[in-house]
Amino acid sequence: DDEINLYGGVIEQYVKNGSEVRIVFSTNGDFYRLGKCRIREALSVAESYGIDQDHVLFLGFRDRKSVV
């Protein structure tokens, strides 16, 4: 969700100016078993910006805890 939180306004401006915007997620939020929910949320937000679902790609790498 960082890309939407940090760049949501930028994404919105690119869409408004006619750019073809694509969003790529390397993980799908499944560390806490929320993957399906996170995917639905991401697609919903993309749609609210006017980005077609075909322009949202989930690479499916699994989430894991950071080792410190």
Side-chain angles (χ1 to χ4, degrees), residues 3-4 7-24 45-47 49-57:
E3 66 291 326
I4 299 299
Y7 297 106
V10 174
I11 292 170
E12 185 176 28
Q13 289 302 311
Y14 273 97
V15 171
K16 283 183 179 179
N17 288 312
S19 295
E20 183 176 320
V21 176
R22 295 176 184 266
I23 301 174
V24 178
V45 169
E47 182 181 1
Y49 284 125
I51 300 170
D52 192 289
Q53 287 188 3
D54 292 342
H55 290 178
V56 181
L57 177 64

Side-chain angles (χ1 to χ4, degrees), residues 1-4 22-30 34-47 51-63:
D1 60 353
D2 291 341
E3 66 291 326
I4 299 299
R22 295 176 184 266
I23 301 174
V24 178
F25 294 90
S26 57
T27 64
N28 53 358
D30 61 359
L34 298 173
K36 290 179 183 178
C37 179
R38 293 280 178 108
I39 289 170
R40 283 192 308 269
E41 289 173 348
L43 292 172
S44 176
V45 169
E47 182 181 1
I51 300 170
D52 192 289
Q53 287 188 3
D54 292 342
H55 290 178
V56 181
L57 177 64
F58 298 90
L59 298 178
F61 293 103
R62 60 181 203 139
D63 291 343

